[in-house]
Amino acid sequence: MNSASGIGSLHKLACLYGIQTAYYNVAHRRCQATVDSLLAVLRSLGANVATLTDATPALRQRCQELWQRLIEPVTVVWHGNPFLIEVRLPASMADSLLVGHLTLEDGGQRDYQWRGADLAVTSGVEIEGIQYVVKRLLLPDTLPWGYHRFTLQIKGMSAETLIIVAPIKSYTPSEASGDRKWGVFLPLYALSTGTGWESGSYSSLETLTEWVAGLGGQVVATLPLLAAFLEQPFEPSPYAPVSRRLWNEFYLDIARIPEMSECLSARALLSSSSFEAEVNNLRQSSHVNYQREMFLKRKVLEELCQSLFAQPSVRLEALNRFAGANPLVEEYARFRATLEKKHTPWRAWPQRLREGTIREDDYREKDRRYHLYVQWLAQQQVEALSQRARDKGVALYLDLPLGVHPDGYDTWREQSLFALDVSVGAPPDAVFTSGQDWIFPPPHPDKIREQGYGDTIAYLRHHLRHAGVLRIDHVMGFHRLYWIPKGLPPGQGVYVRYRPQEFYAILALESCRHSSIIVGEDLGTVPREVRPAMACHGLHRMYVMHYELQANQQKALNPVSKNCVASLNNHDMPPFAAFWQGLDIVEMLELGLTNKASARREQKNRGNTQKALVNSLEDKGLIMEHTRDVYSILKAGMSFLSTSKARVVLANLEDLWLETQPQNIPGSGEKYPSWRRKARYSFEEFCQMPQVLDILREVERLRKTVEAKSAIGGRVQE
């Protein structure tokens, strides 16, 4: 085989697996995938290709596989539309009787028959000497919202598809509700209260919620609250969870655990001078020491757990019922206990354990009980938090990470759903000139469909039970992800496509069932098809002033659209004061994340942008002429957002006291303590600070004004 024909076959094969053989970078230059990258990604998807010479036979095999599939494993039906399904058949069977059996989500059954001879051929192709035709079936019934199973049989052949019947749009509050919300953002680990431990808890988030409600706010936003590795192994990033279906015990409020009142050993431990001294040292630190705090917390929790299991009780019966109703939690407890005994990642375990068979002698029983117990407690405290928020009229704004830790529970439990030989990242750009490797494995586009998106539905429901607003991290991942083969640098990654309509259908269905607003994180470089798809399916966009300033220096500010969440910045950006003073540029230079030439260019561009912004704010009457102090500009920026039609306006609490240290600096690794910095002030301090209250009260006033104008059909600023 010559090289040209081999590469041609390789590219055709890649397309059949949804792999883009080229993409355009941020400079609009075409980047062609290398042969090595394509071969590696194809292998991770299941193609039998070791070298370029294997491309042609693998292409023939893939074509056969696709055409031998009677029906697709997943079918989307938008509510109110007819159910049409395409069937691929060998021409020799084209006139045979087709029998369909439908099982509705509620258990209802329906049967259908079609005479093949009565169905028109819509297309056809010859594969390996066999002629195939495509025919289209129409179900005469209207199907209700939900997940239904349809089985098709013809001459001894059988295939099944998951039918997702969903509303075209995700949940959006009605106009009659006059829903123009505002709220605040703060990472929970950064939130300290006088009654808490060293860092935030579910109870302290509840306290923040009540305070915001008292000011008229309706949203409290934070970073992901999912189970994490906070001992050994250690990964503090909330975007690398152990599981997207379990909560983080780190945020448990020890004082609210019922066993505390009866457990003398736990109370004695808490009141001991050595323990109090350690807790006080942690409390005085400006950064969260996850490992030490989790160690101390676990000592207390283990005492409480042992006390509960020591004798029969109503609480123990409740825990056992919880375990019986949630087998996933029981399995998770065994996984974590085994991990603690083995002291090695699951990928280094013996084959039996890797494949999911864990026996009682593989772990210590006390560790299994501990992990079961803390998950039960976390579930109770999250439920109490969300119920209290609803009672106060406040929506919890939760965050769903794009991926999971490669050594975590989800990847072990659902190995077939992940491409474990590659990782997700981003191609080189102006900031990260070598690209980014985010470490976690991507979902396998074929396997998640064959599984019926069971994991996706489960982790969405886990969040939506409690979230009035849910942010989808990197919503572009519905369309495509950047895959980096193991052993290759990020610059040699390739894009792999998914089935976005199937994700949007699940998201729309689940959000409507839970009455939760969906926000898609669409910042940065976004494929052109993403935002129209978000609009079509009712996802709210993110309007971040930091990015809008960068995007349009001439006009200073792009208009704020109606269905969006508007804020000055987000957790991956410098606080407003640091941005305005250029402190982030200095820090990037010191960390080696940019060079002097780039820093000078950024300083110059930012100066022009800031000048344009001040002029724009002056023109709108939001700032006094010649005012240049940071606080006045910050307040004017929040006023601009608050007078817009945005569905939600979020204030980063740290901005309000002019914080200059960021919570996260992407790409900094261990050079910067990302995800560890506590807020400079405790809740008791900042809730009384005049500059904080002044801005939030003004936001409340302006949002009410927008609400009133909207109600009478008045003009709201674009």
Side-chain angles (χ1 to χ4, degrees):
M1 176 192 299
N2 62 49
S3 177
S5 62
I7 290 176
S9 294
L10 181 67
H11 284 192
K12 290 177 183 177
L13 179 64
C15 290
L16 290 182
Y17 275 97
I19 302 170
Q20 291 183 212
T21 57
Y23 69 91
Y24 287 90
N25 65 14
V26 291
H28 305 292
R29 294 193 181 118
R30 181 180 170 86
C31 299
Q32 184 73 46
T34 67
V35 169
D36 287 344
S37 297
L38 291 174
L39 288 172
V41 171
L42 281 165
R43 285 194 295 270
S44 72
L45 287 167
N48 186 20
V49 285
T51 67
L52 188 59
T53 58
D54 299 319
T56 297
L59 175 62
R60 295 169 62 184
Q61 182 181 352
R62 181 64 172 173
C63 288
Q64 285 182 292
E65 288 173 357
L66 293 176
W67 278 93
Q68 288 171 358
R69 183 187 290 170
L70 275 179
I71 51 180
E72 289 293 319
V74 177
T75 302
V76 171
V77 179
W78 300 112
H79 183 68
N81 291 346
F83 171 43
L84 292 170
I85 185 167
E86 289 192 338
V87 185
R88 303 180 195 90
L89 295 167
S92 60
M93 299 169 59
D95 293 338
S96 302
L97 182 70
L98 294 97
V99 177
H101 179 73
L102 180 67
T103 302
L104 298 174
E105 186 177 17
D106 64 7
Q109 307 281 326
R110 300 179 187 178
D111 294 310
Y112 307 91
Q113 286 189 355
W114 298 269
R115 283 165 38 91
D118 296 337
L119 302 173
V121 174
T122 60
S123 63
V125 68
E126 183 177 314
I127 303 292
E128 299 299 312
I130 299 176
Q131 189 71 33
Y132 291 89
V133 297
V134 175
K135 295 197 170 189
R136 186 172 293 172
L137 304 182
L138 171 66
L139 261 67
D141 302 330
T142 299
L143 301 180
W145 286 5
Y147 306 101
H148 315 300
R149 289 283 175 180
F150 177 75
T151 303
L152 183 67
Q153 296 174 322
I154 178 172
K155 280 196 168 183
M157 297 174 62
S158 179
E160 185 179 272
T161 186
L162 171 71
I163 305 173
I164 307 172
V165 182
I168 189 77
K169 290 185 178 293
S170 60
Y171 173 77
T172 301
S174 67
E175 289 300 320
S177 68
D179 208 10
R180 290 293 178 272
K181 301 177 184 289
W182 73 267
V184 303
F185 164 81
L186 190 68
L188 184 51
Y189 62 78
L191 174 62
S192 61
T193 61
T195 58
W197 270 43
E198 304 70 51
S199 53
S201 70
Y202 297 119
S203 294
S204 55
L205 191 56
E206 186 176 311
T207 299
L208 180 64
T209 297
E210 292 176 355
W211 175 69
V212 169
L215 292 171
Q218 304 118 313
V219 177
V220 170
T222 193
L223 296 180
L225 303 175
L226 296 167
F229 285 135
L230 296 179
E231 296 174 272
Q232 287 297 335
F234 176 67
E235 175 49 74
S237 171
Y239 292 95
V242 176
S243 173
R244 284 182 287 192
R245 297 169 65 175
L246 296 158
W247 300 117
N248 196 336
E249 70 270 22
F250 180 77
Y251 297 117
L252 285 171
D253 181 352
I254 298 290
R256 291 182 68 170
I257 299 172
E259 282 69 54
M260 183 60 72
S261 62
E262 302 293 331
C263 185
L264 297 178
S265 60
R267 290 161 64 187
L269 179 62
L270 279 171
S271 62
S272 68
S273 58
S274 60
F275 196 93
E276 286 183 341
E278 285 217 59
V279 170
N280 189 57
N281 286 337
L282 291 171
R283 186 177 287 123
Q284 299 305 315
S285 173
S286 61
H287 290 80
V288 180
N289 187 334
Y290 289 102
Q291 289 170 299
R292 193 60 192 167
E293 183 174 341
M294 195 68 248
F295 173 78
L296 294 176
K297 218 166 218 180
R298 179 162 179 165
K299 287 177 71 174
V300 179
L301 289 166
E302 285 179 334
E303 293 293 336
L304 298 176
C305 179
Q306 185 176 342
S307 173
L308 178 65
F309 278 94
Q311 57 187 357
S313 67
V314 173
R315 286 273 294 172
L316 183 57
E317 289 175 4
L319 172 56
N320 289 331
R321 286 195 301 273
F322 171 78
N326 296 276
L328 177 135
V329 180
E330 173 64 47
E331 185 182 56
Y332 169 78
R334 293 173 185 267
F335 168 80
R336 290 297 297 262
T338 303
L339 193 65
E340 289 172 3
K341 185 177 180 180
K342 295 291 183 185
H343 298 292
T344 56
W346 66 260
R347 287 175 289 181
W349 289 355
Q351 183 175 351
R352 170 178 59 82
L353 294 175
R354 287 201 313 272
E355 293 176 350
T357 303
I358 295 178
R359 298 194 296 246
E360 290 184 3
D361 60 349
D362 293 321
Y363 55 83
R364 293 179 292 268
E365 176 62 9
K366 69 179 185 65
D367 294 335
R368 182 198 70 84
R369 287 180 172 180
Y370 166 79
H371 285 289
L372 179 64
Y373 177 63
V374 296
Q375 280 302 315
W376 179 52
L377 294 176
Q379 182 63 36
Q380 290 177 327
Q381 293 197 4
V382 170
E383 285 179 355
L385 163 65
S386 62
Q387 185 58 56
R388 185 69 172 168
R390 282 192 292 268
D391 292 345
K392 291 289 184 179
V394 174
L396 291 180
Y397 183 124
L398 299 184
D399 197 342
L400 178 66
L402 173 63
V404 290
H405 197 289
D407 297 328
Y409 169 71
D410 284 2
T411 51
W412 170 78
R413 184 179 189 270
E414 304 284 6
Q415 292 173 49
S416 65
L417 301 184
F418 294 94
L420 297 173
D421 293 330
V422 294
S423 58
V424 177
D429 58 27
V431 177
F432 300 100
T433 55
S434 297
Q436 299 176 71
D437 188 337
W438 300 332
I439 304 302
F440 57 82
H444 192 298
D446 289 342
K447 300 299 183 182
I448 57 176
R449 299 183 76 221
E450 292 166 7
Q451 190 234 18
Y453 292 100
D455 185 55
T456 304
I457 294 167
Y459 65 63
L460 280 172
R461 287 176 174 173
H462 177 71
H463 288 79
L464 292 172
R465 288 187 191 101
H466 309 289
V469 184
L470 181 63
R471 174 186 179 272
I472 307 297
D473 184 37
H474 198 77
V475 73
M476 293 77 81
F478 284 180
H479 296 255
R480 68 180 191 181
L481 285 174
Y482 189 73
W483 290 28
I484 305 167
K486 289 287 191 294
L488 293 181
Q492 291 190 34
V494 298
Y495 279 105
V496 177
R497 292 196 171 277
Y498 292 81
R499 305 288 182 118
Q501 292 300 297
E502 294 168 4
F503 283 109
Y504 286 120
I506 293 167
L507 199 57
L509 178 57
E510 294 299 330
S511 73
C512 286
R513 283 178 163 178
H514 291 87
S515 299
S516 298
I517 294 171
I518 303 298
V519 180
E521 187 269 297
D522 61 337
L523 306 176
T525 304
V526 181
R528 60 185 179 184
E529 68 270 18
V530 172
R531 286 174 179 144
M534 290 174 64
C536 175
H537 298 294
L539 273 69
H540 288 61
R541 289 191 53 197
M542 295 188 71
Y543 181 100
V544 176
M545 185 180 284
H546 180 111
Y547 275 112
E548 300 300 327
L549 286 170
Q550 302 277 2
N552 194 335
Q553 294 185 23
Q554 312 291 308
K555 197 175 180 182
L557 284 171
N558 287 322
V560 184
S561 63
K562 178 179 174 182
N563 288 334
C564 77
V565 172
S567 60
L568 296 177
N569 47 42
N570 74 0
H571 59 269
D572 284 332
M573 300 175 188
F576 185 85
F579 164 76
W580 197 257
Q581 297 171 65
L583 301 180
D584 59 308
I585 301 173
V586 175
E587 190 152 36
M588 291 281 282
L589 196 58
E590 291 175 349
L591 292 172
L593 298 177
T594 189
N595 56 46
K596 290 183 179 180
S598 297
R600 283 194 295 270
R601 282 196 301 272
E602 175 58 25
Q603 286 173 332
K604 180 179 179 181
N605 292 337
R606 190 172 299 183
N608 294 334
T609 301
Q610 290 175 347
K611 187 182 297 183
L613 172 62
V614 170
N615 291 338
S616 179
L617 294 174
E618 286 178 353
D619 291 343
K620 296 177 187 299
L622 297 173
I623 192 171
M624 298 294 290
E625 190 174 356
H626 305 306
T627 301
R628 293 294 185 272
D629 68 279
V630 178
Y631 183 78
S632 297
I633 297 164
L634 165 71
K635 187 175 181 180
M638 286 302 304
S639 295
F640 167 77
L641 299 178
S642 300
T643 54
S644 73
K645 297 192 295 184
R647 180 79 58 190
V648 179
V649 172
L650 280 182
N652 182 339
L653 282 170
E654 293 191 293
D655 280 338
L656 308 188
W657 60 74
L658 303 183
E659 179 59 62
T660 57
Q661 289 298 307
Q663 285 293 344
N664 175 48
I665 298 181
S668 60
E670 293 303 313
K671 296 178 182 177
Y672 185 84
S674 294
W675 319 117
R676 296 171 172 87
R677 188 178 57 73
K678 297 179 186 177
R680 190 176 300 273
Y681 301 102
S682 69
F683 169 77
E684 288 78 9
E685 292 171 324
F686 71 67
C687 76
Q688 300 182 58
M689 294 174 69
Q691 62 265 47
V692 171
L693 294 172
D694 184 35
I695 289 182
L696 294 184
R697 285 169 178 157
E698 181 67 1
V699 170
E700 163 69 1
R701 185 187 71 80
L702 293 173
R703 292 264 85 190
K704 280 188 173 179
T705 301
V706 170
E707 202 64 69
K709 286 183 178 179
S710 180
I712 61 175
R715 180 175 174 78
V716 179
Q717 73 100 348
E718 292 287 347

